[in-house]
Amino acid sequence: MRRSTATVFPHTPASRLGLSRERILEAGLEVLDREGLAAFSMRRLAEELGIGTMTLYGYFPSKDLLLDAIVDASATKLVSAATATSGPWKQRLRELMLSVRQALGEHPAIAELRRTRPLLSPGALEVPEAAMSILIEAGFTKADAARTYRALYLFALGFAAYGPRGRSEDTATFEVQSALSAETHPVLVDTARESAAAMADETVFELGLDYLLDGMERALA
Amino acid sequence: MRRSTATVFPHTPASRLGLSRERILEAGLEVLDREGLAAFSMRRLAEELGIGTMTLYGYFPSKDLLLDAIVDASATKLVSAATATSGPWKQRLRELMLSVRQALGEHPAIAELRRTRPLLSPGALEVPEAAMSILIEAGFTKADAARTYRALYLFALGFAAYGPRGRSEDTATFEVQSALSAETHPVLVDTARESAAAMADETVFELGLDYLLDGMERALA
DNA sequence: ACCTGAACACCGTTCAAGT
DNA sequence: ACCTGAACACCGTTCAAGT
């Protein structure tokens, strides 16, 4: 149902203000990136574009559908990354998941939005198409390939949504230490610096991804 | 700063309405579970409790701090799960992560809230304390143990926040198939049933967890 | 002391009107 | 045809007042 936006509002009206759905989506993504989902409102976006709030409703029937369209548009950009290469399956899958993670990481608000908006536009499906192709070639059954891709994707989403968020390592250290006492949490106290560093560590994605790929390799053998 | 709630509002006032912070948190979690974060409002919660909206502000200084307290309270329940057992490190860690996943899955709105609320209350720290202890015993360095736990935890959060959500397998199949064409997505079309099943499959968590644990074992060797 | 209604500055969206 | 202000039913929170 939600996907019918494009057919309900099929073409750009002859705007007197230089408006178009694309222009609105672009500005919407900017506001999301800059101020976050919580600050995103129809009134705020209209102000950004210098138009009346209700003008937006000539291009998108609701805030929800506008957000869906922003998610779709930003997902389509993944296509080029997905159309990659040849080589050993582990390496190809690794590169694909790294590009997924990068794409998710560039727009943190998008990852948040995806929680309630499963992504099924053609552009967004390039990644699972490529991943499933690699997995089946590697020797997984259809069912195992699907479940395995799902595990990889959920890890990438988890990292994008809950991973490092600009917070500095020092801040994290302070936060961890101030909540601890040596009697109740001896190990965490002893590893406070390392735990704080891990929270800010972007390479945790690659660490987890390599654990997953190695575990997959073992399951194939 | 956010954690100072408890000291700013240290005790339950002598309520004429049988109110207490605990009672409010309990009702808040019920509303979150039943209606989701989007529907949660101070007015809605007050209505649920049969009190004036502003009465809530005598117990919690803001909606944000009330939500923090709900997250903390629900996290503390994990303690018992964390105080588990002996045995091989893989098995102990596996059980611990399964209990984390179960706890996160029982209250989906909590997983959503954690996105912007790092959890540092003493109760919530039992799990990382136990996990780090197992990992160091297994032979990981402090830094690798911290990064590895982080990867495991991000996978659990990803599954809780983005995993199966009651949607039936049939619905998922329909949604996947209706977006596909055989020319552009041959593999997905060929595996539509399996891909849809994977989206609804609760055991994907265990699959990914076992991949991670096997990969970790290999890294130790 | 505990509790609360009115009011303010927000929000998404309907509807009727303006060009 | 495209664009929009007023109005409605919401929201979190301040403030002053009620018991």
Side-chain angles (χ1 to χ4, degrees):
Chain A
M1 291 298 116
R2 227 193 279 120
R3 296 304 139 184
S4 59
T5 316
T7 55
V8 174
F9 286 66
H11 64 327
T12 298
S15 170
R16 293 195 286 263
L17 302 173
L19 242 37
S20 66
R21 266 182 282 112
E22 288 69 27
R23 175 77 198 97
I24 291 170
L25 294 177
E26 192 186 330
L29 187 57
E30 273 168 36
V31 173
L32 279 175
D33 284 345
R34 198 182 330 121
E35 308 178 25
L37 179 56
F40 182 91
S41 73
M42 297 299 266
R43 285 163 147 106
R44 175 73 193 82
L45 174 56
E47 183 194 21
E48 180 81 7
L49 286 160
I51 62 177
T53 304
M54 292 316 300
T55 306
L56 292 171
Y57 287 83
Y59 295 80
F60 298 93
S62 71
K63 182 189 183 184
D64 250 30
L65 285 160
L66 198 165
L67 288 172
D68 281 343
I70 293 177
V71 172
D72 278 3
S74 75
T76 303
K77 294 188 198 152
L78 262 175
V79 179
S80 59
T83 54
T85 76
S86 65
W89 69 265
K90 262 175 80 172
Q91 185 185 319
R92 286 161 67 200
L93 199 51
R94 189 174 199 278
E95 275 167 28
L96 181 61
M97 295 313 296
L98 285 175
S99 77
V100 167
R101 174 251 166 145
Q102 194 195 352
L104 288 172
E106 271 168 23
H107 305 291
I110 298 291
E112 192 168 352
L113 281 169
R114 282 207 203 178
R115 230 186 63 83
T116 49
R117 293 159 212 273
L119 203 46
L120 300 164
S121 65
L125 290 172
E126 294 300 321
V127 169
E129 171 75 16
M132 288 294 289
S133 163
I134 295 170
L135 286 164
I136 286 170
E137 223 180 287
F140 285 98
T141 65
K142 291 180 189 179
D144 282 345
R147 285 160 21 97
T148 297
Y149 169 66
R150 193 80 188 133
L152 288 167
Y153 184 58
L154 290 173
F155 176 65
L157 280 173
F159 188 86
Y162 296 93
R165 196 54 98 255
R167 260 192 319 159
S168 84
E169 189 177 323
D170 288 336
T171 307
T173 308
F174 171 78
E175 286 181 16
V176 169
Q177 285 175 337
S178 68
L180 291 174
S181 91
E183 295 88 53
T184 54
H185 303 91
V187 183
L188 284 181
V189 167
D190 188 44
T191 61
R193 192 157 28 97
E194 289 84 0
S195 292
M199 285 193 226
D201 188 345
E202 297 278 346
T203 71
V204 164
F205 180 77
E206 282 166 76
L207 180 73
L209 178 58
D210 286 332
Y211 285 152
L212 286 165
L213 292 168
D214 286 347
M216 289 161 55
E217 189 170 49
R218 174 162 151 179
L220 276 178
Chain B
M1 291 296 117
R2 227 195 280 120
R3 295 305 140 185
S4 59
T5 317
T7 56
V8 174
F9 287 65
H11 64 327
T12 297
S15 171
R16 295 195 285 262
L17 302 174
L19 242 39
S20 67
R21 266 183 282 109
E22 288 70 26
R23 175 77 197 96
I24 292 170
L25 294 178
E26 192 187 329
L29 186 57
E30 273 168 36
V31 173
L32 280 175
D33 284 345
R34 199 182 330 121
E35 309 178 23
L37 179 55
F40 181 91
S41 73
M42 297 300 266
R43 286 163 146 106
R44 174 74 193 83
L45 175 56
E47 183 194 20
E48 180 82 7
L49 287 161
I51 61 177
T53 304
M54 292 316 300
T55 306
L56 292 170
Y57 288 83
Y59 294 79
F60 297 93
S62 73
K63 182 189 184 185
D64 250 29
L65 285 160
L66 198 165
L67 287 172
D68 281 343
I70 292 177
V71 172
D72 279 4
S74 75
T76 304
K77 294 188 197 151
L78 262 176
V79 179
S80 59
T83 53
T85 76
S86 66
W89 69 265
K90 262 174 80 173
Q91 185 185 320
R92 287 162 66 199
L93 199 52
R94 190 174 197 278
E95 275 167 28
L96 180 62
M97 294 314 296
L98 285 176
S99 76
V100 166
R101 175 250 165 148
Q102 194 195 353
L104 287 172
E106 272 167 24
H107 305 291
I110 298 291
E112 193 169 353
L113 282 169
R114 283 208 201 178
R115 231 187 62 84
T116 49
R117 294 161 211 272
L119 203 46
L120 300 164
S121 65
L125 290 172
E126 295 300 322
V127 169
E129 172 74 17
M132 288 294 289
S133 164
I134 295 169
L135 286 164
I136 286 170
E137 224 179 286
F140 285 97
T141 65
K142 291 181 189 178
D144 282 344
R147 287 164 16 100
T148 297
Y149 170 68
R150 193 82 188 131
L152 288 167
Y153 184 59
L154 290 174
F155 176 65
L157 280 173
F159 188 85
Y162 295 93
R165 195 56 97 258
R167 261 193 318 160
S168 84
E169 190 177 321
D170 288 336
T171 307
T173 309
F174 172 78
E175 285 181 16
V176 168
Q177 285 175 338
S178 69
L180 291 175
S181 91
E183 295 88 54
T184 54
H185 303 91
V187 184
L188 284 182
V189 167
D190 188 43
T191 60
R193 191 156 28 99
E194 289 83 0
S195 292
M199 285 193 225
D201 188 345
E202 296 280 346
T203 70
V204 164
F205 181 77
E206 281 166 76
L207 181 73
L209 179 58
D210 286 332
Y211 285 152
L212 286 165
L213 291 168
D214 286 347
M216 289 160 57
E217 190 171 48
R218 174 163 151 177
L220 276 178

